[in-house]
Amino acid sequence: MASGGELINNKQVIFKNFVEGFPKESDMEVKTSSISLKVEEGSNAVVVKNLYLSCDPYMRNRMTQSDQETNDPEFIPFTPGSPLEGFGVAKVVDSGHPNYKKGDLIWGMVKWEEYSLIENPQLFKIHHADVPLSHYTGILGMPGITAWAGFYEVCSPKKGEKVYISAASGAVGQLVGQFAKLMGCYVVGSAGSKEKVDLLKNKFGFDDAFNYKEEHDLDAALKRCFPEGIDIYFENVGGKMLDAVLLNMRLRGRIAACGMISQYNLHQPEGVYNLMNIVGKRIRMEGLMAFDYFPQYAKFLDVVLPFVREKKVVYVEDIAEGIESAPAALVGLFSGRNVGKQVVAVAKE
Amino acid sequence: MASGGELINNKQVIFKNFVEGFPKESDMEVKTSSISLKVEEGSNAVVVKNLYLSCDPYMRNRMTQSDQETNDPEFIPFTPGSPLEGFGVAKVVDSGHPNYKKGDLIWGMVKWEEYSLIENPQLFKIHHADVPLSHYTGILGMPGITAWAGFYEVCSPKKGEKVYISAASGAVGQLVGQFAKLMGCYVVGSAGSKEKVDLLKNKFGFDDAFNYKEEHDLDAALKRCFPEGIDIYFENVGGKMLDAVLLNMRLRGRIAACGMISQYNLHQPEGVYNLMNIVGKRIRMEGLMAFDYFPQYAKFLDVVLPFVREKKVVYVEDIAEGIESAPAALVGLFSGRNVGKQVVAVAKE
């Protein structure tokens, strides 16, 4: 959509082509394009200035070519030659849409660039700016809703239950663990470095934690941490970890399947062999996606915003500075380089 | 427990030793022992004359040595040198228990023999003998409760949904399919012979059916039968079939995991590779065991007994005559030799 205003420079992170295996920085490139900061007369679009971009594991799905039709924003492939898309926090610069006005802070789906023209905007307005705005890419945004819905809605948790979380220091895992502690559960997490394990134990208050890379036998590690078994597993990684967990689930255990990051970059996913446990132990395993819970955002915020303000829940972010750092930040997710929620800071207000 | 009465001959099917791989007839032997038909004074046991014995896939679990402690009757290993156990229909011959009296018809866990002494009996009394008594090993017994609970409770079915059932001509599958048709679902089943496929289509009223042994590509077979995908999968077989189903599930599909008969005799179960679909499609997969629903037996009977009497649901049984035929009947389950629910008729009333 062309528009009448003056054009200014707009740095963008361009998706070069579809990816197989692990994504590399060279699958993206930072280019300067131009954009008008005015929306066209009569349009219902908005133009926003992007402040924070969110790096999330689901974005790997969108880097794969697919001929499957989908309405799920998480699965619509990126367009080679165009900027990546993802969640972000932004400020409205101009608006033709009755719900948004200049100066509004929003979060939602934006493009990976300094300024985005968004047609048919479906963006959440940020009404509480007394907390760090970057939190709207994390604890108060999509990962927060995922953790909240996955734990409270899907897992049906009860006080005293034994909860295991993989990728536990990530954007979602750190929250699930803290929600579970607030409920009075016994909570163990795994992560991929000593630094992350220390965070789990010392900052997030997990009862125990282990570095999965240092365990040659995941089944034994889980038996050590859960001698009586696991009631709730918050699944972020899939593959071998899921297989070991199935052996250690208790009767009527619940598995919230939020993601399987260990599998996203494999040409052929790993086989899972222990599914018979689902029958014998009457396990319920259920997939979830944050999008399904967006209509409940206000309800979610009522619960979680006080947690943030009262410091009942802490949130660790790994903030990369500048849009030029975005490709490396995204790639780093898949090697576990980030410590905490990975964000890219594009601009100050 | 010794008892005072006269001893009579009692043919028994003895479990010889723990089994690896497929069970064989030679893993069991028919022997003649002796039993008193009177319970000991002061005991709360009952003695029953067994009329029908039920051959069920879960019995394979009990043929495997296990050092895991379990209270689940489905998982307590058989005792080498003693008779097998399983569900049966029987007539009370003598009783020291206040709930049972001589002449009562019951169904529940009995031993594989002509007469059983049952201590601490937990048996269902048969109050409706206007239907074939053998049905209490099937449509009105454990498989019936499995089908009823699995379909109505676990699958949350809705009119018009697309339902797929594996091992569909078996004790449970034939019922799930007919329940689904009564609800107005589109129903497809798979089975392992032309005769079974004909049953599905012509006797049970399935909309479509296929012989999985003649499909070299299960994914393609499912796409042919379900061009718009599967809402509900009633899982009886596991392994490769589950993997193909996962590719074809629809958004928010449900999988009731009732059994995985294709896996029971393998040294190492097959890997399942397509579990990522659980996340993306928000699939709920849930294990179930009939035992959990036994307290709801009266409610179940209120629904299903009228179906039987009014012939809204038909039930095909494969009845082997005589206790000597029991080992072959049980072994035949795992090669799919039976057509319909496998029963052994031990005695007429």
Side-chain angles (χ1 to χ4, degrees):
Chain A
M1 180 175 297
S3 79
E6 189 187 348
L7 295 179
I8 69 155
N9 280 349
N10 189 26
K11 274 192 211 160
Q12 301 181 305
V13 182
I14 301 293
F15 178 61
K16 283 165 68 180
N17 214 336
F18 292 111
V19 171
E20 290 183 21
F22 277 84
K24 304 177 298 296
E25 289 184 50
S26 60
D27 293 321
M28 296 162 264
E29 66 183 328
V30 179
K31 272 193 168 171
T32 299
S33 164
S34 63
I35 187 170
S36 162
L37 299 188
K38 293 277 171 209
V39 299
E40 204 172 54
E41 192 90 16
S43 140
N44 73 349
V46 297
V47 176
V48 302
K49 178 180 184 184
N50 292 316
L51 306 179
Y52 295 101
L53 300 176
S54 180
C55 298
D56 294 298
Y58 82 88
M59 295 171 74
R60 176 63 186 83
N61 301 328
R62 302 189 63 181
M63 303 178 110
T64 301
Q65 189 153 27
S66 169
D67 48 12
Q68 299 237 322
E69 287 195 24
T70 178
N71 292 318
D72 258 320
E74 293 202 5
F75 290 101
I76 299 171
F78 292 135
T79 306
S82 293
L84 287 83
E85 287 181 352
F87 288 99
V89 171
K91 190 172 198 168
V92 176
V93 175
D94 191 26
S95 172
H97 194 287
N99 291 358
Y100 307 96
K101 64 176 194 302
K102 184 173 171 177
D104 280 351
L105 290 166
I106 59 91
W107 74 268
M109 198 57 82
V110 300
K111 292 182 197 142
W112 276 32
E113 55 194 357
E114 291 176 293
Y115 296 91
S116 291
L117 171 71
I118 303 172
E119 313 207 29
N120 306 311
Q122 294 182 297
L123 304 163
F124 289 97
K125 282 209 266 193
I126 295 175
H127 297 292
H128 310 280
D130 57 314
V131 294
L133 287 181
S134 57
H135 278 16
Y136 288 91
T137 67
I139 182 169
L140 300 176
M142 185 275 285
I145 300 170
T146 304
W148 171 80
F151 184 63
Y152 295 110
E153 304 274 318
V154 176
C155 293
S156 318
K158 288 187 285 291
K159 185 177 171 181
E161 287 195 316
K162 321 287 184 200
V163 177
Y164 172 57
I165 302 154
S166 54
S169 70
V172 175
Q174 57 174 303
L175 293 176
V176 175
Q178 292 179 84
F179 292 163
K181 284 306 300 173
L182 285 172
M183 178 160 273
C185 297
Y186 175 81
V187 180
V188 178
S190 58
S193 73
K194 183 176 181 312
E195 182 184 8
K196 293 177 184 178
V197 167
D198 287 345
L199 262 186
L200 295 178
K201 290 203 243 190
N202 302 322
K203 185 149 186 118
F204 301 134
F206 283 44
D207 295 288
D208 204 350
F210 64 90
N211 179 348
Y212 72 91
K213 291 181 180 168
E214 292 189 345
E215 303 286 346
H216 68 280
D217 181 343
L218 292 173
D219 178 35
L222 291 170
K223 286 195 165 48
R224 186 179 74 228
C225 295
F226 295 98
E228 295 166 25
I230 299 166
D231 293 298
I232 289 175
Y233 173 46
F234 204 95
E235 163 68 303
N236 290 310
V237 305
K240 289 186 182 66
M241 183 63 87
L242 175 58
D243 234 357
V245 167
L246 285 166
L247 295 175
N248 289 282
M249 289 299 288
R250 299 179 81 176
L251 205 61
R252 297 188 186 81
R254 287 133 275 151
I255 299 175
C258 168
M260 298 191 176
I261 195 172
S262 73
Q263 306 297 298
Y264 296 167
N265 301 303
L266 305 179
H267 289 279
Q268 155 87 317
E270 290 173 322
V272 172
Y273 297 89
N274 298 322
L275 290 169
M276 260 304 294
N277 286 273
I278 289 183
V279 182
K281 296 176 182 167
R282 294 78 141 170
I283 294 168
R284 172 164 58 84
M285 179 168 182
E286 195 166 342
L288 82 141
M289 299 271 240
F291 298 95
D292 296 341
Y293 298 93
F294 280 4
Q296 298 182 52
Y297 183 66
K299 186 177 157 195
F300 153 80
L301 215 54
D302 282 347
V303 174
V304 178
L305 194 57
F307 286 167
V308 177
R309 288 181 172 149
E310 297 162 20
K311 300 198 181 349
K312 286 190 177 164
V313 170
V314 296
Y315 199 62
V316 171
E317 295 170 341
D318 192 331
I319 301 190
E321 290 293 335
I323 196 163
E324 293 80 359
S325 68
L330 180 59
V331 167
L333 276 186
F334 300 99
S335 59
R337 204 183 60 177
N338 57 306
V339 178
K341 163 67 191 171
Q342 182 67 61
V343 186
V344 177
V346 179
K348 309 286 177 208
E349 279 189 67
Chain B
M1 177 177 297
S3 79
E6 189 187 346
L7 295 180
I8 67 155
N9 281 348
N10 189 26
K11 274 191 211 159
Q12 300 181 305
V13 182
I14 302 293
F15 178 62
K16 284 164 69 179
N17 214 336
F18 292 111
V19 171
E20 290 184 19
F22 277 84
K24 304 176 297 298
E25 287 185 50
S26 59
D27 294 321
M28 297 162 264
E29 67 183 327
V30 179
K31 271 191 168 173
T32 300
S33 165
S34 63
I35 189 170
S36 161
L37 299 188
K38 292 276 171 207
V39 298
E40 204 171 55
E41 194 91 15
S43 140
N44 74 348
V46 296
V47 176
V48 301
K49 179 181 184 184
N50 292 315
L51 307 179
Y52 294 100
L53 299 176
S54 180
C55 297
D56 295 298
Y58 81 88
M59 296 172 73
R60 176 63 187 83
N61 301 328
R62 302 188 65 181
M63 302 178 112
T64 301
Q65 191 153 27
S66 168
D67 48 12
Q68 299 237 321
E69 286 197 25
T70 177
N71 293 318
D72 258 320
E74 292 200 6
F75 290 101
I76 299 171
F78 292 135
T79 306
S82 293
L84 286 82
E85 287 181 354
F87 288 98
V89 172
K91 190 172 199 168
V92 176
V93 174
D94 192 26
S95 172
H97 194 288
N99 292 358
Y100 307 96
K101 64 176 196 301
K102 183 172 170 178
D104 280 352
L105 291 165
I106 60 89
W107 74 268
M109 197 57 82
V110 301
K111 292 182 198 140
W112 275 33
E113 55 194 357
E114 291 175 293
Y115 296 91
S116 291
L117 172 70
I118 303 172
E119 313 205 30
N120 306 312
Q122 294 183 296
L123 304 163
F124 289 96
K125 282 210 264 194
I126 294 175
H127 296 292
H128 309 280
D130 57 315
V131 294
L133 287 179
S134 56
H135 278 16
Y136 288 91
T137 67
I139 183 169
L140 299 176
M142 184 276 284
I145 299 170
T146 305
W148 172 79
F151 183 64
Y152 293 110
E153 303 274 318
V154 176
C155 293
S156 318
K158 288 187 284 292
K159 185 177 171 180
E161 286 195 316
K162 320 287 185 199
V163 177
Y164 172 56
I165 302 153
S166 54
S169 70
V172 175
Q174 56 175 301
L175 293 176
V176 175
Q178 292 179 83
F179 292 163
K181 283 307 298 174
L182 285 171
M183 177 160 276
C185 297
Y186 176 81
V187 180
V188 178
S190 59
S193 72
K194 182 177 182 310
E195 181 183 6
K196 293 176 184 178
V197 167
D198 286 345
L199 263 185
L200 295 178
K201 290 204 243 188
N202 301 323
K203 185 148 186 120
F204 301 134
F206 283 44
D207 294 289
D208 204 350
F210 64 90
N211 179 349
Y212 72 90
K213 291 181 181 168
E214 293 190 345
E215 302 286 346
H216 68 280
D217 181 343
L218 292 173
D219 177 34
L222 291 170
K223 286 195 166 48
R224 185 180 72 227
C225 295
F226 294 99
E228 294 165 25
I230 299 167
D231 294 296
I232 289 175
Y233 173 46
F234 204 94
E235 163 68 305
N236 290 310
V237 306
K240 289 187 182 68
M241 183 63 85
L242 175 57
D243 235 358
V245 167
L246 285 165
L247 295 175
N248 288 282
M249 290 298 288
R250 298 178 81 174
L251 205 62
R252 298 187 187 80
R254 286 132 274 151
I255 299 176
C258 169
M260 298 191 177
I261 195 172
S262 74
Q263 306 297 298
Y264 296 167
N265 301 303
L266 306 180
H267 289 279
Q268 156 87 321
E270 291 173 321
V272 173
Y273 298 88
N274 297 322
L275 290 168
M276 261 304 294
N277 286 273
I278 289 182
V279 182
K281 296 175 184 168
R282 296 79 140 169
I283 292 168
R284 171 163 59 82
M285 178 167 181
E286 193 166 344
L288 82 142
M289 297 271 240
F291 298 95
D292 296 341
Y293 297 92
F294 279 5
Q296 298 182 51
Y297 184 66
K299 186 177 156 195
F300 154 80
L301 216 54
D302 282 346
V303 174
V304 178
L305 195 57
F307 285 167
V308 177
R309 287 180 172 151
E310 295 162 20
K311 300 198 179 357
K312 285 189 179 166
V313 170
V314 296
Y315 198 63
V316 171
E317 295 169 340
D318 191 330
I319 300 190
E321 289 293 334
I323 196 164
E324 292 82 358
S325 68
L330 180 58
V331 167
L333 275 187
F334 301 99
S335 59
R337 204 183 59 176
N338 58 305
V339 178
K341 163 68 191 172
Q342 182 65 61
V343 187
V344 178
V346 179
K348 306 289 176 207
E349 279 190 68

